PDB file of all heavy atoms in Angstrom:
ATOM      1  N   GLY A  32      -4.825  18.875  -2.829  1.00 98.00           N
ATOM      2  CA  GLY A  32      -6.070  18.442  -3.538  1.00 98.00           C
ATOM      3  C   GLY A  32      -6.296  16.938  -3.354  1.00 98.00           C
ATOM      4  O   GLY A  32      -5.500  16.234  -2.652  1.00 98.00           O
ATOM      5  N   SER A  33      -7.333  16.453  -3.955  1.00 98.00           N
ATOM      6  CA  SER A  33      -7.744  15.041  -3.857  1.00 98.00           C
ATOM      7  C   SER A  33      -8.007  14.460  -5.270  1.00 98.00           C
ATOM      8  O   SER A  33      -8.369  15.208  -6.223  1.00 98.00           O
ATOM      9  CB  SER A  33      -9.016  14.945  -3.068  1.00 98.00           C
ATOM     10  OG  SER A  33      -8.810  15.367  -1.744  1.00 98.00           O
ATOM     11  N   LEU A  34      -7.821  13.160  -5.355  1.00 98.00           N
ATOM     12  CA  LEU A  34      -8.201  12.394  -6.542  1.00 98.00           C
ATOM     13  C   LEU A  34      -8.775  11.068  -6.057  1.00 98.00           C
ATOM     14  O   LEU A  34      -8.280  10.549  -5.049  1.00 98.00           O
ATOM     15  CB  LEU A  34      -7.022  12.191  -7.508  1.00 98.00           C
ATOM     16  CG  LEU A  34      -6.521  13.265  -8.390  1.00 98.00           C
ATOM     17  CD1 LEU A  34      -5.266  12.813  -9.127  1.00 98.00           C
ATOM     18  CD2 LEU A  34      -7.593  13.694  -9.379  1.00 98.00           C
ATOM     19  N   ARG A  35      -9.633  10.481  -6.814  1.00 98.00           N
ATOM     20  CA  ARG A  35     -10.058   9.106  -6.614  1.00 98.00           C
ATOM     21  C   ARG A  35      -9.724   8.305  -7.810  1.00 98.00           C
ATOM     22  O   ARG A  35     -10.199   8.532  -8.995  1.00 98.00           O
ATOM     23  CB  ARG A  35     -11.515   9.016  -6.318  1.00 98.00           C
ATOM     24  CG  ARG A  35     -11.938   7.632  -5.899  1.00 98.00           C
ATOM     25  CD  ARG A  35     -13.397   7.475  -5.544  1.00 98.00           C
ATOM     26  NE  ARG A  35     -14.229   7.391  -6.701  1.00 98.00           N
ATOM     27  CZ  ARG A  35     -15.451   6.807  -6.664  1.00 98.00           C
ATOM     28  NH1 ARG A  35     -15.957   6.349  -5.553  1.00 98.00           N
ATOM     29  NH2 ARG A  35     -16.173   6.761  -7.759  1.00 98.00           N
ATOM     30  N   LEU A  36      -8.870   7.284  -7.654  1.00 98.00           N
ATOM     31  CA  LEU A  36      -8.473   6.361  -8.694  1.00 98.00           C
ATOM     32  C   LEU A  36      -9.437   5.219  -8.717  1.00 98.00           C
ATOM     33  O   LEU A  36      -9.902   4.765  -7.623  1.00 98.00           O
ATOM     34  CB  LEU A  36      -7.106   5.931  -8.541  1.00 98.00           C
ATOM     35  CG  LEU A  36      -5.989   6.981  -8.451  1.00 98.00           C
ATOM     36  CD1 LEU A  36      -4.653   6.336  -8.401  1.00 98.00           C
ATOM     37  CD2 LEU A  36      -6.103   7.950  -9.592  1.00 98.00           C
ATOM     38  N   SER A  37      -9.691   4.644  -9.814  1.00 98.00           N
ATOM     39  CA  SER A  37     -10.508   3.455 -10.029  1.00 98.00           C
ATOM     40  C   SER A  37      -9.727   2.376 -10.689  1.00 98.00           C
ATOM     41  O   SER A  37      -8.889   2.633 -11.561  1.00 98.00           O
ATOM     42  CB  SER A  37     -11.784   3.764 -10.788  1.00 98.00           C
ATOM     43  OG  SER A  37     -12.584   4.733 -10.181  1.00 98.00           O
ATOM     44  N   CYS A  38     -10.027   1.147 -10.263  1.00 98.00           N
ATOM     45  CA  CYS A  38      -9.398  -0.025 -10.890  1.00 98.00           C
ATOM     46  C   CYS A  38     -10.541  -0.946 -11.287  1.00 98.00           C
ATOM     47  O   CYS A  38     -11.185  -1.556 -10.385  1.00 98.00           O
ATOM     48  CB  CYS A  38      -8.480  -0.729  -9.885  1.00 98.00           C
ATOM     49  SG  CYS A  38      -7.804  -2.318 -10.470  1.00 98.00           S
ATOM     50  N   ALA A  39     -10.830  -0.955 -12.557  1.00 98.00           N
ATOM     51  CA  ALA A  39     -12.011  -1.740 -12.980  1.00 98.00           C
ATOM     52  C   ALA A  39     -11.543  -3.049 -13.660  1.00 98.00           C
ATOM     53  O   ALA A  39     -10.559  -3.087 -14.390  1.00 98.00           O
ATOM     54  CB  ALA A  39     -12.792  -0.907 -14.049  1.00 98.00           C
ATOM     55  N   ALA A  40     -12.298  -4.094 -13.317  1.00 97.00           N
ATOM     56  CA  ALA A  40     -11.940  -5.428 -13.828  1.00 97.00           C
ATOM     57  C   ALA A  40     -12.878  -5.815 -14.932  1.00 97.00           C
ATOM     58  O   ALA A  40     -14.055  -5.550 -14.863  1.00 97.00           O
ATOM     59  CB  ALA A  40     -11.929  -6.443 -12.693  1.00 97.00           C
ATOM     60  N   SER A  41     -12.360  -6.523 -15.906  1.00 95.00           N
ATOM     61  CA  SER A  41     -13.165  -7.106 -17.021  1.00 95.00           C
ATOM     62  C   SER A  41     -12.588  -8.490 -17.289  1.00 95.00           C
ATOM     63  O   SER A  41     -11.480  -8.841 -16.864  1.00 95.00           O
ATOM     64  CB  SER A  41     -13.167  -6.280 -18.213  1.00 95.00           C
ATOM     65  OG  SER A  41     -11.879  -6.091 -18.748  1.00 95.00           O
ATOM     66  N   GLY A  42     -13.338  -9.316 -17.961  1.00 94.00           N
ATOM     67  CA  GLY A  42     -12.973 -10.648 -18.266  1.00 94.00           C
ATOM     68  C   GLY A  42     -13.496 -11.723 -17.343  1.00 94.00           C
ATOM     69  O   GLY A  42     -13.806 -12.784 -17.683  1.00 94.00           O
ATOM     70  N   ARG A  43     -13.537 -11.315 -16.096  1.00 93.00           N
ATOM     71  CA  ARG A  43     -14.155 -12.156 -15.015  1.00 93.00           C
ATOM     72  C   ARG A  43     -14.360 -11.200 -13.837  1.00 93.00           C
ATOM     73  O   ARG A  43     -13.933 -10.085 -13.749  1.00 93.00           O
ATOM     74  CB  ARG A  43     -13.300 -13.340 -14.633  1.00 93.00           C
ATOM     75  CG  ARG A  43     -11.983 -13.089 -14.019  1.00 93.00           C
ATOM     76  CD  ARG A  43     -11.425 -14.383 -13.402  1.00 93.00           C
ATOM     77  NE  ARG A  43     -10.052 -14.179 -12.908  1.00 93.00           N
ATOM     78  CZ  ARG A  43      -9.714 -13.622 -11.769  1.00 93.00           C
ATOM     79  NH1 ARG A  43     -10.691 -13.131 -10.939  1.00 93.00           N
ATOM     80  NH2 ARG A  43      -8.455 -13.541 -11.340  1.00 93.00           N
ATOM     81  N   GLY A  44     -15.047 -11.711 -12.816  1.00 92.00           N
ATOM     82  CA  GLY A  44     -15.298 -10.916 -11.633  1.00 92.00           C
ATOM     83  C   GLY A  44     -14.039 -10.699 -10.770  1.00 92.00           C
ATOM     84  O   GLY A  44     -13.089 -11.495 -10.850  1.00 92.00           O
ATOM     85  N   LEU A  45     -14.105  -9.709  -9.936  1.00 94.00           N
ATOM     86  CA  LEU A  45     -12.952  -9.381  -9.083  1.00 94.00           C
ATOM     87  C   LEU A  45     -13.242  -9.770  -7.661  1.00 94.00           C
ATOM     88  O   LEU A  45     -12.401  -9.578  -6.770  1.00 94.00           O
ATOM     89  CB  LEU A  45     -12.724  -7.830  -9.209  1.00 94.00           C
ATOM     90  CG  LEU A  45     -11.401  -7.259  -8.683  1.00 94.00           C
ATOM     91  CD1 LEU A  45     -10.217  -7.848  -9.428  1.00 94.00           C
ATOM     92  CD2 LEU A  45     -11.419  -5.756  -8.772  1.00 94.00           C
ATOM     93  N   ASP A  46     -14.450 -10.390  -7.411  1.00 94.00           N
ATOM     94  CA  ASP A  46     -14.843 -10.580  -6.017  1.00 94.00           C
ATOM     95  C   ASP A  46     -14.056 -11.645  -5.284  1.00 94.00           C
ATOM     96  O   ASP A  46     -14.192 -11.712  -4.028  1.00 94.00           O
ATOM     97  CB  ASP A  46     -16.346 -10.913  -6.024  1.00 94.00           C
ATOM     98  CG  ASP A  46     -16.682 -12.123  -6.841  1.00 94.00           C
ATOM     99  OD1 ASP A  46     -16.014 -12.284  -7.921  1.00 94.00           O
ATOM    100  OD2 ASP A  46     -17.567 -12.864  -6.503  1.00 94.00           O
ATOM    101  N   LEU A  47     -13.249 -12.372  -5.994  1.00 95.00           N
ATOM    102  CA  LEU A  47     -12.419 -13.438  -5.243  1.00 95.00           C
ATOM    103  C   LEU A  47     -10.918 -13.034  -5.326  1.00 95.00           C
ATOM    104  O   LEU A  47     -10.078 -13.896  -5.097  1.00 95.00           O
ATOM    105  CB  LEU A  47     -12.669 -14.785  -5.818  1.00 95.00           C
ATOM    106  CG  LEU A  47     -14.063 -15.383  -5.599  1.00 95.00           C
ATOM    107  CD1 LEU A  47     -14.217 -16.762  -6.212  1.00 95.00           C
ATOM    108  CD2 LEU A  47     -14.430 -15.385  -4.103  1.00 95.00           C
ATOM    109  N   ASP A  48     -10.660 -11.790  -5.644  1.00 97.00           N
ATOM    110  CA  ASP A  48      -9.295 -11.319  -5.794  1.00 97.00           C
ATOM    111  C   ASP A  48      -9.009 -10.312  -4.659  1.00 97.00           C
ATOM    112  O   ASP A  48      -9.748  -9.370  -4.482  1.00 97.00           O
ATOM    113  CB  ASP A  48      -9.014 -10.619  -7.051  1.00 97.00           C
ATOM    114  CG  ASP A  48      -8.969 -11.608  -8.279  1.00 97.00           C
ATOM    115  OD1 ASP A  48      -9.952 -12.300  -8.514  1.00 97.00           O
ATOM    116  OD2 ASP A  48      -7.911 -11.679  -8.893  1.00 97.00           O
ATOM    117  N   THR A  49      -7.846 -10.430  -3.999  1.00 98.00           N
ATOM    118  CA  THR A  49      -7.369  -9.350  -3.212  1.00 98.00           C
ATOM    119  C   THR A  49      -6.711  -8.392  -4.200  1.00 98.00           C
ATOM    120  O   THR A  49      -6.263  -8.748  -5.238  1.00 98.00           O
ATOM    121  CB  THR A  49      -6.303  -9.824  -2.257  1.00 98.00           C
ATOM    122  OG1 THR A  49      -5.096 -10.268  -2.894  1.00 98.00           O
ATOM    123  CG2 THR A  49      -6.813 -10.941  -1.299  1.00 98.00           C
ATOM    124  N   VAL A  50      -6.777  -7.127  -3.811  1.00 98.00           N
ATOM    125  CA  VAL A  50      -6.309  -6.092  -4.744  1.00 98.00           C
ATOM    126  C   VAL A  50      -5.372  -5.089  -4.005  1.00 98.00           C
ATOM    127  O   VAL A  50      -5.648  -4.833  -2.806  1.00 98.00           O
ATOM    128  CB  VAL A  50      -7.473  -5.287  -5.375  1.00 98.00           C
ATOM    129  CG1 VAL A  50      -6.969  -4.175  -6.264  1.00 98.00           C
ATOM    130  CG2 VAL A  50      -8.353  -6.247  -6.202  1.00 98.00           C
ATOM    131  N   ALA A  51      -4.385  -4.635  -4.664  1.00 98.00           N
ATOM    132  CA  ALA A  51      -3.457  -3.652  -4.065  1.00 98.00           C
ATOM    133  C   ALA A  51      -3.209  -2.534  -5.049  1.00 98.00           C
ATOM    134  O   ALA A  51      -3.330  -2.709  -6.276  1.00 98.00           O
ATOM    135  CB  ALA A  51      -2.131  -4.350  -3.691  1.00 98.00           C
ATOM    136  N   TRP A  52      -2.874  -1.349  -4.461  1.00 98.00           N
ATOM    137  CA  TRP A  52      -2.368  -0.261  -5.279  1.00 98.00           C
ATOM    138  C   TRP A  52      -0.958  -0.042  -5.065  1.00 98.00           C
ATOM    139  O   TRP A  52      -0.426  -0.116  -3.941  1.00 98.00           O
ATOM    140  CB  TRP A  52      -3.134   1.016  -4.912  1.00 98.00           C
ATOM    141  CG  TRP A  52      -4.553   1.077  -5.453  1.00 98.00           C
ATOM    142  CD1 TRP A  52      -5.697   0.751  -4.801  1.00 98.00           C
ATOM    143  CD2 TRP A  52      -4.912   1.593  -6.755  1.00 98.00           C
ATOM    144  NE1 TRP A  52      -6.792   1.009  -5.611  1.00 98.00           N
ATOM    145  CE2 TRP A  52      -6.357   1.470  -6.805  1.00 98.00           C
ATOM    146  CE3 TRP A  52      -4.225   2.089  -7.815  1.00 98.00           C
ATOM    147  CZ2 TRP A  52      -7.036   1.885  -7.939  1.00 98.00           C
ATOM    148  CZ3 TRP A  52      -4.966   2.493  -8.946  1.00 98.00           C
ATOM    149  CH2 TRP A  52      -6.395   2.389  -9.027  1.00 98.00           C
ATOM    150  N   PHE A  53      -0.192   0.194  -6.147  1.00 98.00           N
ATOM    151  CA  PHE A  53       1.218   0.547  -6.191  1.00 98.00           C
ATOM    152  C   PHE A  53       1.402   1.843  -6.915  1.00 98.00           C
ATOM    153  O   PHE A  53       0.555   2.269  -7.651  1.00 98.00           O
ATOM    154  CB  PHE A  53       1.990  -0.582  -6.871  1.00 98.00           C
ATOM    155  CG  PHE A  53       1.950  -1.910  -6.188  1.00 98.00           C
ATOM    156  CD1 PHE A  53       0.852  -2.732  -6.332  1.00 98.00           C
ATOM    157  CD2 PHE A  53       3.041  -2.336  -5.438  1.00 98.00           C
ATOM    158  CE1 PHE A  53       0.853  -4.022  -5.739  1.00 98.00           C
ATOM    159  CE2 PHE A  53       3.035  -3.610  -4.801  1.00 98.00           C
ATOM    160  CZ  PHE A  53       1.956  -4.436  -4.970  1.00 98.00           C
ATOM    161  N   ARG A  54       2.555   2.392  -6.765  1.00 98.00           N
ATOM    162  CA  ARG A  54       2.956   3.557  -7.532  1.00 98.00           C
ATOM    163  C   ARG A  54       4.444   3.499  -7.832  1.00 98.00           C
ATOM    164  O   ARG A  54       5.165   2.901  -7.118  1.00 98.00           O
ATOM    165  CB  ARG A  54       2.579   4.891  -6.860  1.00 98.00           C
ATOM    166  CG  ARG A  54       3.460   5.243  -5.637  1.00 98.00           C
ATOM    167  CD  ARG A  54       2.929   6.546  -4.981  1.00 98.00           C
ATOM    168  NE  ARG A  54       3.644   6.804  -3.807  1.00 98.00           N
ATOM    169  CZ  ARG A  54       3.318   7.789  -2.937  1.00 98.00           C
ATOM    170  NH1 ARG A  54       2.212   8.533  -3.164  1.00 98.00           N
ATOM    171  NH2 ARG A  54       4.064   8.020  -1.877  1.00 98.00           N
ATOM    172  N   GLN A  55       4.766   4.167  -8.917  1.00 98.00           N
ATOM    173  CA  GLN A  55       6.234   4.259  -9.277  1.00 98.00           C
ATOM    174  C   GLN A  55       6.500   5.667  -9.809  1.00 98.00           C
ATOM    175  O   GLN A  55       5.898   6.128 -10.766  1.00 98.00           O
ATOM    176  CB  GLN A  55       6.576   3.274 -10.369  1.00 98.00           C
ATOM    177  CG  GLN A  55       8.029   3.183 -10.646  1.00 98.00           C
ATOM    178  CD  GLN A  55       8.425   1.936 -11.451  1.00 98.00           C
ATOM    179  OE1 GLN A  55       7.626   1.296 -12.105  1.00 98.00           O
ATOM    180  NE2 GLN A  55       9.737   1.594 -11.330  1.00 98.00           N
ATOM    181  N   ALA A  56       7.345   6.369  -9.091  1.00 97.00           N
ATOM    182  CA  ALA A  56       7.738   7.711  -9.447  1.00 97.00           C
ATOM    183  C   ALA A  56       8.973   7.552 -10.357  1.00 97.00           C
ATOM    184  O   ALA A  56       9.715   6.570 -10.303  1.00 97.00           O
ATOM    185  CB  ALA A  56       8.084   8.496  -8.225  1.00 97.00           C
ATOM    186  N   PRO A  57       9.229   8.601 -11.150  1.00 92.00           N
ATOM    187  CA  PRO A  57      10.362   8.508 -12.089  1.00 92.00           C
ATOM    188  C   PRO A  57      11.631   8.285 -11.323  1.00 92.00           C
ATOM    189  O   PRO A  57      11.914   9.005 -10.352  1.00 92.00           O
ATOM    190  CB  PRO A  57      10.327   9.899 -12.725  1.00 92.00           C
ATOM    191  CG  PRO A  57       8.935  10.332 -12.682  1.00 92.00           C
ATOM    192  CD  PRO A  57       8.391   9.753 -11.415  1.00 92.00           C
ATOM    193  N   GLY A  58      12.398   7.331 -11.783  1.00 94.00           N
ATOM    194  CA  GLY A  58      13.723   7.038 -11.147  1.00 94.00           C
ATOM    195  C   GLY A  58      13.616   6.298  -9.834  1.00 94.00           C
ATOM    196  O   GLY A  58      14.666   6.096  -9.109  1.00 94.00           O
ATOM    197  N   LYS A  59      12.428   5.926  -9.422  1.00 96.00           N
ATOM    198  CA  LYS A  59      12.285   5.165  -8.107  1.00 96.00           C
ATOM    199  C   LYS A  59      11.698   3.846  -8.376  1.00 96.00           C
ATOM    200  O   LYS A  59      11.087   3.486  -9.372  1.00 96.00           O
ATOM    201  CB  LYS A  59      11.410   6.051  -7.192  1.00 96.00           C
ATOM    202  CG  LYS A  59      12.017   7.368  -6.797  1.00 96.00           C
ATOM    203  CD  LYS A  59      11.177   8.016  -5.732  1.00 96.00           C
ATOM    204  CE  LYS A  59      11.855   9.336  -5.265  1.00 96.00           C
ATOM    205  NZ  LYS A  59      11.084   9.986  -4.199  1.00 96.00           N
ATOM    206  N   GLN A  60      11.831   3.006  -7.342  1.00 96.00           N
ATOM    207  CA  GLN A  60      11.241   1.685  -7.342  1.00 96.00           C
ATOM    208  C   GLN A  60       9.739   1.756  -7.090  1.00 96.00           C
ATOM    209  O   GLN A  60       9.217   2.687  -6.550  1.00 96.00           O
ATOM    210  CB  GLN A  60      11.922   0.803  -6.269  1.00 96.00           C
ATOM    211  CG  GLN A  60      13.319   0.427  -6.561  1.00 96.00           C
ATOM    212  CD  GLN A  60      13.876  -0.638  -5.589  1.00 96.00           C
ATOM    213  OE1 GLN A  60      13.390  -0.699  -4.384  1.00 96.00           O
ATOM    214  NE2 GLN A  60      14.712  -1.521  -6.044  1.00 96.00           N
ATOM    215  N   ARG A  61       9.038   0.715  -7.604  1.00 97.00           N
ATOM    216  CA  ARG A  61       7.660   0.700  -7.392  1.00 97.00           C
ATOM    217  C   ARG A  61       7.373   0.466  -5.898  1.00 97.00           C
ATOM    218  O   ARG A  61       8.066  -0.274  -5.249  1.00 97.00           O
ATOM    219  CB  ARG A  61       7.034  -0.506  -8.164  1.00 97.00           C
ATOM    220  CG  ARG A  61       5.492  -0.472  -8.257  1.00 97.00           C
ATOM    221  CD  ARG A  61       4.991  -1.522  -9.230  1.00 97.00           C
ATOM    222  NE  ARG A  61       5.355  -1.185 -10.588  1.00 97.00           N
ATOM    223  CZ  ARG A  61       4.941  -1.889 -11.638  1.00 97.00           C
ATOM    224  NH1 ARG A  61       4.134  -2.958 -11.475  1.00 97.00           N
ATOM    225  NH2 ARG A  61       5.251  -1.498 -12.813  1.00 97.00           N
ATOM    226  N   GLU A  62       6.370   1.200  -5.412  1.00 97.00           N
ATOM    227  CA  GLU A  62       6.050   1.208  -3.989  1.00 97.00           C
ATOM    228  C   GLU A  62       4.626   0.693  -3.777  1.00 97.00           C
ATOM    229  O   GLU A  62       3.753   1.197  -4.411  1.00 97.00           O
ATOM    230  CB  GLU A  62       6.225   2.660  -3.493  1.00 97.00           C
ATOM    231  CG  GLU A  62       5.792   2.919  -2.036  1.00 97.00           C
ATOM    232  CD  GLU A  62       5.703   4.377  -1.744  1.00 97.00           C
ATOM    233  OE1 GLU A  62       5.745   5.274  -2.621  1.00 97.00           O
ATOM    234  OE2 GLU A  62       5.646   4.696  -0.540  1.00 97.00           O
TER     235      GLU A  62
END
């Protein structure tokens, strides 16, 4: 299947930020 995750910014704009996605599975390091 498929999913679409969103990362919404508040407080200020996100347009001057680079952005990355990470994940962490149980018992594993963040990837």
Side-chain angles (χ1 to χ4, degrees):
S33 298
L34 281 176
R35 188 177 80 157
L36 306 183
S37 298
C38 172
S41 60
R43 65 166 173 82
L45 197 60
D46 56 325
L47 295 180
D48 287 60
T49 67
V50 177
W52 283 95
F53 295 80
R54 70 184 177 189
Q55 187 166 21
K59 294 188 177 181
Q60 287 190 329
R61 191 171 294 185
E62 173 189 17

